[in-house]
Each structure stands twice: as C-alpha cells, then as structure tokens.
Amino acid sequence: MVTKEQVIPEFVCPVTALLELIGGKWKPVILYCLRDETRRFGELSARMPSISRKVLTEQLKQLESDGLVVRVQFNEIPPRVEYSLTDLGRSLAPVLQAMERWGSTHLSNPKH
Amino acid sequence: MVTKEQVIPEFVCPVTALLELIGGKWKPVILYCLRDETRRFGELSARMPSISRKVLTEQLKQLESDGLVVRVQFNEIPPRVEYSLTDLGRSLAPVLQAMERWGSTHLSNPKH
DNA sequence: GTAACAAGTAACCTTTAGGTAACTAGTAAA
DNA sequence: TTTACTAGTTACCTAAAGGTTACTTGTTAC
C-alpha cells in the first residue's frame, strides 16, 4: 500500500541561507571589489592577489549561479570577460554595510 | 646582518572577520535560541535536535571564547550549565535582523 | 618558430567543518 | 545492584573548502 507522500517543508533559517550565498573566505571581498564597478577577471585577480585564480573562478561561478553577479564574455583574442553585480547583488549593500560597521567597531582591526 | 623586522599589518576585511564569529552552519541558530533567554545545555539541545551534542558543545565553546556567549556552571549533581548572550552578543541583534530580513524577502523559503 | 596575452582548466593535496557512536562522572532513586 | 540524570568527551570518519603547480587556447608581435 502506497501512502501519499507527505512533503514536510523543512524550516530554513534565512540567515543561514544568506550565509550560503555570501559566506566563505572570499565572497564578501569579491562583492566589495565589484560594488560599483564592472571588472575584468584579471583586474579582480590583481586586486585580490591572495586569491588563487582557481578559487577566484570557483567563487565567481557560484556568485553567478546564485544570481548575485553577471559574467559577460566577449569573443575576442586575447579573451575578455567582465563581471558586475546584478540588482540582487546590489540589494545586499545595506546588509554588508551593517556587517561591515559591526565588524569595524567591535573587532580591533590590527589583529593577526 | 639582521634587519629590523617590518611588521606589515595585513588588512582584515571586517565582514570576513564577523563571519568568522557567526558563520558556520549552526551559530546563527544558536544565537537566535539565546536571543532573550538564558538556557541550559539540554534545553538548547532539545530545541535544536539536528545538532549533535558534540557539535553544539564545540560551537558554544567558540561563541564563548569569542565573547558572544557566557557559560555559567553550577557545581550540582546532576550538573547544570547555563548559557546566555553577553552584551557583545546582544549587540549583534541589528546585524542579524538585517540579514534575516534580506534572507526572508529574497530567498524563497520553501526551498529544499 | 617562438613568446606573450587573458582567462581559465586539470590533477593533485591539505585542512577544516561537521557527523556518528560509544563512553564518562557522581549522586539519587528503584 | 542497577538505572537514570546531565553535560559533556573520545575516537573515528566523510565531505567540502581551499590551495599549488602546470597546462591549454588562438592569435599576434618579434
């Protein structure tokens, strides 16, 4: 006897969900780099030299598939690819600003 | 010849620094559980049954050592331990609220 | 013909986060 | 004498995140 499947919608903490988008070691920095400029891959890489190109590529792909960033590819030689924020990405600004403010005032900066 | 060591203070992104405190799978949920109540370990565990006790202990220890939570131990048998937010922990409320609001409005809840 | 250019990819490795299951301590109640 | 109680700890495992180094691609400039 097959009973009708009861789909129990699991509660998803919205904060945890948000952290899945912008958490991780580098995503906030990347979003900051793009906050009001379109930038090429190489430019991003040059501004964040601590991020390996592999990781930068990965993070950008995730940000893109989460709808926070757009990737535009020009079919030129040598290749050119430009990244910028989407509206959704820009809508994060106040949240990131609140986080930044808390971090700046409560976390003594020159640590480590 | 020993040259004087030049300590170059590395820039620490305040957002990334904040995420080190409240990032991770469970910390926001724990902070939410403690937002206006002191709670015993068993109470927290009962309210968040998906978190194993080992992980709950670990996360609470980190929150405590980061100054967001206080742990008060009563030397009774059977043991009693109470957790609550510090002032610093409470000061996170507006930040978490901003994150929660963004998550609720932009992330369709019944996902997964 | 060889090097430079940008934007990656591939193969591989290490560290960290998170998870499971079983065990511990000291006392009181059955 | 065994069980229950609370707040953990121990040993072990797996998956994910992040990192390094070398390679690729097609065209142009030397």
Side-chain angles (χ1 to χ4, degrees), chain B residues 68-89:
Chain B
L68 301 178
V69 156
V70 245
R71 176 183 186 275
V72 180
Q73 175 173 348
F74 298 84
N75 287 321
E76 305 171 357
I77 299 289
R80 180 157 66 104
V81 176
E82 289 186 350
Y83 293 93
S84 51
L85 292 188
T86 60
D87 285 348
L88 188 62

Side-chain angles (χ1 to χ4, degrees), chain A:
Chain A
M1 186 188 182
V2 179
T3 53
K4 201 194 253 178
E5 276 201 17
Q6 183 84 21
V7 176
I8 299 169
E10 195 186 340
F11 170 71
V12 177
C13 166
V15 177
T16 304
L18 165 59
L19 287 177
E20 272 173 37
L21 304 193
I22 65 162
K25 196 164 164 187
W26 300 116
K27 284 183 186 167
V29 184
I30 297 173
L31 292 171
Y32 182 81
C33 263
L34 290 172
R35 73 196 175 291
D36 38 33
E37 300 277 356
T38 290
R39 295 199 190 279
R40 299 182 59 172
F41 182 84
E43 243 182 305
L44 291 171
S45 184
R47 276 164 189 275
M48 302 173 283
S50 321
I51 317 183
S52 76
R53 307 186 135 233
K54 188 205 97 177
V55 171
L56 182 55
T57 306
E58 279 171 5
Q59 304 295 299
L60 286 167
K61 267 186 191 159
Q62 289 174 24
L63 290 169
E64 194 199 358
S65 86
D66 288 332
L68 301 178
V69 155
V70 245
R71 174 181 187 278
V72 180
Q73 174 174 350
F74 300 83
N75 287 320
E76 307 174 352
I77 297 289
R80 179 157 65 105
V81 176
E82 288 186 350
Y83 292 92
S84 50
L85 293 188
T86 59
D87 285 347
L88 188 61
R90 271 185 291 274
S91 78
L92 275 170
V95 180
L96 288 167
Q97 206 165 66
M99 296 173 74
E100 188 271 331
R101 230 179 269 135
W102 193 95
S104 299
T105 64
H106 293 97
L107 273 21
S108 47
N109 263 14
K111 148 209 247 184
H112 192 302

